[in-house]
Amino acid sequence: MSNKSSRTGAVRKKGLGKGVGSGGQGRQALEGRGPTPKAVDREYHPAHKQKMARERYEAAKARRAGGRNTAPIKRKAGDESELVTGRNAVLEALRTKIPATTLYVAARIEMDDRTREILRLATNRNVPVLEIMRPEMDRMVERDTVHQGIILKVPPMEYEHPLDVLQDVIAKNETPLLVALDGVTDPRNLGAIIRSVAAFGGQGVIVPSRRSASLNSAAWKTSAGAAARIPVARAANLTQTIKEFKKQGVFVIGLDGGGDVMIPNLELADRPLLVVVGSEGKGLSRLVTETCDAVVSIPISSATESLNAGIAASVALYEISKLRAERSAE
């Protein structure tokens, strides 16, 4: 009988290690390696490459922002703050030291002189600067609002009292020229009127507390920053306010397409004036019309039914300022 150890199949090969079967070899192969790394920690895995790309992007963005905060915006429910949009409006608001809580700047914004001054003024006033992506900025504002990559958050507007505005003008020995809105509900018209008041030497705008446009972000934008210089007062009762102005020696004229007097022939132009602008559709209300000293119209082509409230106010203010200049030169 042959010896089993002489057979090839019975010879134990050297160098197989401690284990005999495949189970032993597997345990030795896994010994000391620990748990499997997460996908984001494995260099060859796509998740790791995406993580590294995000980190490089965030680092580059932080360098461009000069260390500015890039936290996402969380506007609290019931927040009544207004958003001033656009470079001109934001710059004017910061120049006139309007209270501001936050300046939002679009990531990778194209820098110009206005943007640099905005950032400098905000920094000097310790206004927090947040850099955010443009899609997030678009969601902050109303649809179709052009923010130009700059948004300034300001507290709710504090309106002045109409008689206080009038007294301030009188105290400066200026001839009052103010505008009141009767039924104008479009804030863009309000912004345009504020801009015209500033352009033609007016000193203030009065809005009713009900059924009227308010000084919101759209009005700020349209005013191109003039809202930071021209006081806006709110009247609890416009008709009563008009009567109080008349007691103070102010003449009241209403703008209406069917007015008796054409604006170029206005004899009251150089007197203390309150110009009342009605809505484009309904015009002046009956009570307001009855309190006016004169109802004035603007000569226009018969092919045009009426003028926008903002345009009508602008034309009237221009004519009044021209008549004042002509009469002061006589």
Side-chain angles (χ1 to χ4, degrees):
M1 190 175 192
S2 61
N3 191 345
K4 291 183 179 181
S5 62
S6 64
R7 292 183 305 184
T8 304
V11 176
R12 179 179 292 177
K13 294 182 180 180
K14 297 180 179 181
L16 292 179
K18 298 178 181 179
V20 176
S22 61
Q25 294 180 31
R27 285 194 298 271
Q28 183 181 17
L30 294 174
E31 186 178 352
R33 293 192 178 184
T36 303
K38 295 180 180 179
V40 294
D41 295 329
R42 284 179 264 168
E43 295 183 0
Y44 58 85
H45 199 282
H48 176 78
K49 296 177 181 178
Q50 292 174 4
K51 174 187 174 184
M52 297 303 295
R54 284 195 301 269
E55 289 179 354
R56 288 195 299 270
Y57 172 74
E58 293 297 334
K61 188 167 69 171
R63 287 195 299 271
R64 287 193 303 270
R68 292 194 296 270
N69 193 348
T70 56
I73 301 168
K74 294 182 180 179
R75 197 168 185 181
K76 297 179 180 179
D79 187 355
E80 297 181 353
S81 299
E82 291 290 348
L83 300 177
V84 182
T85 60
R87 301 187 186 189
N88 286 336
V90 170
L91 182 57
E92 280 295 330
L94 289 172
R95 281 176 174 172
T96 52
K97 299 183 179 180
I98 292 294
T101 56
T102 312
L103 174 66
Y104 299 103
V105 182
R108 289 171 286 184
I109 188 172
E110 186 175 324
M111 301 294 289
D112 59 12
D113 291 341
R114 292 174 298 172
T115 307
R116 293 188 187 93
E117 186 174 356
I118 287 170
L119 292 173
R120 179 177 59 79
L121 290 173
T123 302
N124 291 343
R125 291 180 51 191
N126 295 320
V127 177
V129 179
L130 301 183
E131 185 179 56
I132 61 175
M133 303 304 292
R134 283 186 179 269
E136 190 173 4
M137 186 170 279
D138 294 338
R139 289 191 293 269
M140 292 176 60
V141 298
E142 295 180 3
R143 189 176 180 180
D144 299 329
T145 298
V146 181
H147 51 69
Q148 299 177 312
I150 294 285
I151 297 177
L152 184 68
K153 187 176 181 180
V154 299
M157 175 67 185
E158 294 183 4
Y159 295 90
E160 299 192 32
H161 192 281
L163 291 179
D164 289 342
V165 175
L166 177 61
Q167 293 303 321
D168 288 344
V169 175
I170 295 173
K172 296 176 183 176
N173 293 321
E174 297 178 357
T175 303
L177 176 58
L178 298 99
V179 175
L181 277 58
D182 179 24
V184 178
T185 57
D186 190 338
R188 290 170 294 186
N189 275 333
L190 171 58
I193 290 171
I194 293 172
R195 189 174 185 178
S196 296
V197 168
F200 299 117
Q203 299 103 349
V205 176
I206 301 170
V207 297
S209 57
R210 295 184 298 170
R211 294 187 294 276
S212 176
S214 60
L215 190 56
N216 59 16
S217 57
W220 268 93
K221 173 71 174 178
T222 311
S223 76
R229 304 188 304 273
I230 297 298
V232 178
R234 176 168 277 177
N237 185 306
L238 183 59
T239 304
Q240 189 61 39
T241 299
I242 290 173
K243 291 178 180 179
E244 291 294 332
F245 269 56
K246 294 178 74 171
K247 291 179 182 178
Q248 299 293 326
V250 177
F251 291 88
V252 181
I253 64 171
L255 291 183
D256 190 274
D260 310 341
V261 181
M262 291 295 179
I263 190 71
N265 303 323
L266 182 63
E267 295 182 359
L268 298 173
D270 56 349
R271 309 288 181 86
L273 279 183
L274 174 64
V275 181
V276 186
V277 182
S279 65
E280 184 176 353
K282 298 181 180 180
L284 297 173
S285 64
R286 179 183 59 82
L287 290 176
V288 168
T289 302
E290 290 174 355
T291 57
C292 289
D293 294 301
V295 178
V296 180
S297 62
I298 298 171
I300 60 175
S301 169
S302 58
T304 304
E305 183 177 350
S306 63
L307 292 176
N308 171 278
I311 295 174
S314 180
V315 172
L317 290 168
Y318 166 73
E319 287 291 341
I320 291 170
S321 66
K322 185 175 72 171
L323 289 170
R324 285 187 171 187
E326 291 174 352
R327 292 172 187 177
S328 63
E330 293 176 354

